[in-house]
Amino acid sequence: MAANSSEKGQTVDLGALSVQQLSQVKKQLDDELEHLTNSFTKLRAAQAKFRECINSLNKGITSSTKGANILVPLTTSLYVPGRIADTDKVIVDVGTGFYVEKKTKDAVEFYTSKVDELGTNLKDLEAIVQQKSNNLRVVEEVLRQKMISNTAGPGSSDTAPMS
C-alpha cells in the first residue's frame, strides 16, 4: 500500500514501514488535520464577519440614518458615542490596522470580493483536508493490520500475508 504526500508529491510504501514509523506518520497527519481544521474554522468566521459587514452596509447605512447616534468601536471592548455624518462614505478596515475611506457602494464591493476570495480558499482547503483525511484512514488501516499481525505472532497460520 502507498500513500501520497501532497506537499512534495512523494509516495511512501506504508507496508515497508514499522509500527513505530506508522505511528509517527499517523501523529503527523493528525496534527496537520487539526491545524487545517482550525484554519478552516477561522476562515469561515472571517467570511461570516465580512458578510455581516455587507449586511450592515446594505441595511444600516441609508439616507434616513444620517445624523443617527451610533457606538463607534475603538478596540474590541471600547466603544465611543458618535453620529453618522455622511451616509455616502464609510471607513473600511483593509487589514493590518489600515483604514480607508470608501463610498458605501465600493465598500460593499470590497467586502463581497473578500467573501468570494475566502470562499475559493475554503474550497481549496476543504480538498486538502479531504486528501489528508483519506491518507490518515489508509495509515490507520495499515497500522491496524500490522498490529493484528504482530499480535497473532509469526507461528499463526490463519493470518494472510501482507503485500
Side-chain angles (χ1 to χ4, degrees):
M1 293 193 181
N4 289 329
S5 172
S6 61
E7 292 179 353
K8 297 178 183 174
Q10 296 175 339
T11 302
V12 176
D13 182 8
L14 296 177
L17 297 178
S18 69
V19 171
Q20 182 180 4
Q21 290 169 323
L22 283 170
S23 295
Q24 289 173 346
V25 170
K26 181 186 176 309
K27 182 182 180 337
Q28 181 182 355
L29 285 171
D30 282 335
D31 292 345
E32 288 176 10
L33 268 173
E34 182 180 347
H35 174 72
L36 292 171
T37 303
N38 288 340
S39 296
F40 189 86
T41 303
K42 289 176 184 177
L43 286 175
R44 276 265 187 239
Q47 191 180 44
K49 285 182 183 181
F50 288 135
R51 283 193 176 119
E52 185 58 35
C53 289
I54 294 168
N55 189 38
S56 295
L57 288 169
N58 287 333
K59 294 182 179 179
I61 305 294
T62 62
S63 57
S64 64
T65 58
K66 190 171 188 172
N69 291 326
I70 60 169
L71 289 175
V72 180
L74 293 182
T75 67
T76 56
S77 61
L78 178 64
Y79 292 78
V80 294
R83 192 175 299 268
I84 296 178
D86 187 358
T87 57
D88 294 328
K89 294 180 184 171
V90 293
I91 304 293
V92 176
D93 181 358
V94 294
T96 62
F98 289 96
Y99 295 87
V100 176
E101 184 178 278
K102 290 183 174 273
K103 292 184 180 181
T104 306
K105 178 183 150 200
D106 294 337
V108 169
E109 289 174 5
F110 171 78
Y111 287 125
T112 301
S113 72
K114 288 292 189 183
V115 167
D116 294 343
E117 180 182 343
L118 285 174
T120 302
N121 292 345
L122 283 166
K123 283 182 184 176
D124 294 344
L125 187 57
E126 189 173 20
I128 292 169
V129 167
Q130 184 65 37
Q131 181 61 44
K132 294 282 184 187
S133 294
N134 291 341
N135 289 350
L136 180 60
R137 275 187 287 254
V138 169
V139 168
E140 287 173 339
E141 180 62 26
V142 172
L143 184 58
R144 187 178 63 78
Q145 289 174 358
K146 284 208 176 219
M147 297 287 272
I148 289 171
S149 68
N150 286 348
T151 309
S156 179
S157 61
D158 52 312
T159 58
M162 296 207 42
S163 53

Coordinates of all heavy atoms in Angstrom, one line a residue, residues 7 9 35-36 43 46 54 63-65 67 82 91 93 106 135-136 142 153 155:
E7 N 2.4 17.5 -0.3 CA 3.3 18.7 -0.4 C 4.4 18.5 -1.4 O 4.7 19.4 -2.1 CB 3.8 19.0 1.0 CG 2.8 19.5 2.0 CD 3.4 19.7 3.4 OE1 4.6 19.4 3.6 OE2 2.7 20.2 4.2
G9 N 4.6 15.5 -3.4 CA 4.3 14.6 -4.4 C 5.0 13.2 -4.3 O 5.1 12.5 -5.2
H35 N -4.6 21.3 12.5 CA -4.2 22.7 12.1 C -5.0 23.1 11.0 O -5.5 24.3 11.0 CB -2.7 22.7 11.7 CG -2.3 24.0 11.1 ND1 -2.1 25.1 11.9 CD2 -2.0 24.3 9.9 CE1 -1.7 26.1 11.1 NE2 -1.6 25.7 9.9
L36 N -5.2 22.3 10.0 CA -6.0 22.6 8.8 C -7.5 22.9 9.2 O -8.2 23.8 8.7 CB -5.9 21.6 7.7 CG -4.6 21.4 7.0 CD1 -4.5 20.2 6.1 CD2 -4.3 22.7 6.2
L43 N -11.2 30.7 8.8 CA -11.6 31.3 7.5 C -13.1 31.5 7.4 O -13.6 32.5 6.9 CB -11.1 30.5 6.4 CG -9.6 30.6 6.1 CD1 -9.2 29.6 5.0 CD2 -9.2 32.0 5.7
A46 N -14.1 34.5 9.5 CA -13.8 35.7 8.8 C -14.8 36.0 7.7 O -15.2 37.1 7.5 CB -12.3 35.6 8.2
I54 N -21.2 43.5 5.0 CA -22.1 43.8 3.8 C -23.5 44.0 4.3 O -24.2 45.0 3.8 CB -22.0 42.6 2.8 CG1 -20.6 42.5 2.2 CG2 -23.1 42.8 1.7 CD1 -20.4 41.2 1.4
S63 N -30.0 56.9 3.7 CA -30.2 58.3 3.8 C -31.0 58.7 5.1 O -30.8 59.8 5.6 CB -30.8 58.9 2.6 OG -32.1 58.4 2.3
S64 N -31.8 57.8 5.5 CA -32.6 58.1 6.7 C -31.8 58.0 8.0 O -32.2 58.4 9.1 CB -33.9 57.2 6.8 OG -33.5 55.9 6.9
T65 N -30.7 57.3 7.9 CA -29.8 57.1 9.1 C -28.9 58.3 9.4 O -28.2 58.3 10.4 CB -29.0 55.8 9.1 OG1 -28.2 55.8 7.9 CG2 -30.0 54.6 9.1
G67 N -27.3 61.4 10.7 CA -27.5 62.1 12.0 C -27.8 61.1 13.1 O -27.9 61.6 14.3
G82 N -21.0 58.3 18.8 CA -20.8 59.0 17.6 C -22.1 59.3 16.9 O -23.2 58.9 17.4
I91 N -15.7 54.3 6.6 CA -14.3 53.9 6.8 C -14.2 52.4 6.8 O -15.0 51.7 7.5 CB -13.8 54.4 8.2 CG1 -14.0 56.0 8.2 CG2 -12.4 54.0 8.4 CD1 -13.1 56.7 7.3
D93 N -11.9 48.9 7.2 CA -10.6 48.2 7.6 C -10.1 47.3 6.5 O -10.8 46.3 6.2 CB -10.9 47.4 8.9 CG -9.7 46.8 9.5 OD1 -8.6 46.9 8.9 OD2 -9.8 46.1 10.5
D106 N -18.7 51.1 -3.0 CA -17.3 50.5 -3.1 C -17.0 49.6 -1.9 O -16.3 48.6 -2.1 CB -16.3 51.6 -3.3 CG -16.4 52.3 -4.6 OD1 -17.0 51.8 -5.6 OD2 -15.9 53.5 -4.7
N135 N -5.6 10.0 3.5 CA -4.3 9.5 3.9 C -4.2 8.9 5.3 O -3.7 7.9 5.5 CB -3.2 10.6 3.7 CG -2.9 10.9 2.3 OD1 -3.4 10.3 1.3 ND2 -2.2 12.0 2.1
L136 N -4.9 9.6 6.2 CA -4.9 9.2 7.6 C -5.6 7.9 7.7 O -5.2 7.0 8.4 CB -5.6 10.3 8.5 CG -5.7 9.9 10.0 CD1 -4.3 9.7 10.6 CD2 -6.4 11.0 10.7
V142 N -3.4 0.4 7.7 CA -2.2 -0.4 7.6 C -1.6 -0.6 9.0 O -1.2 -1.7 9.3 CB -1.2 0.4 6.7 CG1 0.2 -0.3 6.8 CG2 -1.6 0.4 5.3
G153 N 1.2 -13.2 16.0 CA 2.5 -13.9 16.2 C 2.9 -14.6 14.8 O 2.1 -14.8 14.0
G155 N 3.9 -17.6 14.3 CA 3.6 -19.0 14.1 C 2.1 -19.2 13.7 O 1.7 -20.3 13.5

